[in-house]
Amino acid sequence: MKTSQTEPAAETPRRRRAWRYLAGFLVVAILLVVGGRLAWSWLDPFGEESVDRSQPVLLQSIKDLSRFEAATGNFQVVVDLEKDATFLPDAVKGTRTLFVGAGGVDAYVDFSTLAAGAVTVNAERTEATIRLPRAQLEKPNLDNRRSYVFAQQRGLLDRVEGFLSSSPGDQRELYVLAEKKIAEAATASDLRARADANTKAMLEGLLKSLGFDKVTVKFTDEP
């Protein structure tokens, strides 16, 4: 009877030690996992590091400007460009890209083209007449930060070609097409008319501040 009573008392410390060992093992395992993840994120053997080794910027030329930037239009266009193969299905050969192109177009009046008698002043120097050329549109300037590809579908052969190509992300054609469409939209808008009106108001205010009582601004195509 004595032996049967002492066996449970001897097993209790053993169980406690076993649970302590198990708990210690779990703590060590958790510490190893957490430490490993921290070390992996810190070392990051597959991470990328950007190093800028660009050469210094060279100033190639300076050009004096004699024009007034009178207005700016901001445009955005969604280019939907699809290329299909003649005898192959789209799943094998073909691409479709949706590209958002955003940028501005400047409208300006070139003062360097003023004729010799473009500015006339009366004898009392109280009235002035100016004849100006109409406003012109600058080439569209796409904003790279707001222009991007947001959807693209490619066939199997196109995917393989893009994987093997040295420049799989070439987007020049998309940018050129976006610039063309924005230029057409700017031409069809009232941007040039707004630039004409702004230039006229600017010159009238400037000459009146110089003492002229009457200022007349006309364009070369007006009678």
Side-chain angles (χ1 to χ4, degrees):
M1 296 295 295
K2 292 183 180 180
T3 304
S4 60
Q5 293 179 353
T6 57
E7 285 180 355
E11 290 180 356
T12 301
R14 295 178 183 177
R15 291 180 179 178
R16 290 179 180 177
R17 285 196 298 269
W19 281 110
R20 290 176 183 176
Y21 292 151
L22 180 60
F25 175 77
L26 292 176
V27 171
V28 172
I30 293 174
L31 292 177
L32 289 176
V33 171
V34 174
R37 293 193 62 179
L38 292 176
W40 182 272
S41 61
W42 179 61
L43 296 175
D44 195 9
F46 299 105
E48 295 182 353
E49 180 180 0
S50 298
V51 179
D52 187 0
R53 294 191 175 92
S54 304
Q55 299 297 318
V57 179
L58 300 178
L59 177 61
Q60 294 183 335
S61 64
I62 296 178
K63 183 179 180 180
D64 294 331
L65 298 179
S66 56
R67 64 185 189 181
F68 174 62
E69 300 287 344
T72 299
N74 292 315
F75 299 86
Q76 180 174 299
V77 61
V78 177
V79 176
D80 188 349
L81 182 61
E82 184 175 358
K83 295 182 178 181
D84 297 325
T86 305
F87 302 105
L88 294 176
D90 295 340
V92 178
K93 178 65 177 178
T95 61
R96 183 179 181 184
T97 305
L98 297 179
F99 175 77
V100 175
V105 178
D106 296 331
Y108 66 94
V109 176
D110 190 358
F111 292 150
S112 65
T113 60
L114 292 178
V119 180
T120 57
V121 179
N122 65 347
E124 293 79 13
R125 300 188 63 82
T126 57
E127 298 182 6
T129 301
I130 304 176
R131 285 191 173 273
L132 297 175
R134 290 288 184 179
Q136 304 178 50
L137 296 179
E138 187 63 88
K139 180 182 177 182
N141 183 22
L142 289 187
D143 187 351
N144 293 330
R145 294 175 297 180
R146 297 189 294 129
S147 301
Y148 58 93
V149 174
F150 72 91
Q152 188 175 46
Q153 297 176 353
R154 295 185 298 172
L156 178 61
L157 296 180
D158 296 281
R159 292 178 182 272
V160 174
E161 182 180 356
F163 178 77
L164 298 177
S165 175
S166 59
S167 57
D170 192 0
Q171 301 175 359
R172 286 175 295 182
E173 185 177 4
L174 297 171
Y175 274 85
V176 171
L177 189 56
E179 288 181 354
K180 179 182 177 182
K181 291 183 177 296
I182 289 178
E184 293 173 352
T187 302
S189 69
D190 64 342
L191 185 57
R192 286 181 293 183
R194 179 70 64 86
D196 289 339
N198 291 343
T199 305
K200 184 177 180 180
M202 183 273 295
L203 291 175
E204 289 176 349
L206 176 62
L207 293 177
K208 286 183 178 180
S209 67
L210 295 177
F212 290 93
D213 298 328
K214 182 180 179 181
V215 178
T216 304
V217 178
K218 294 184 177 182
F219 295 96
T220 53
D221 58 351
E222 293 179 339

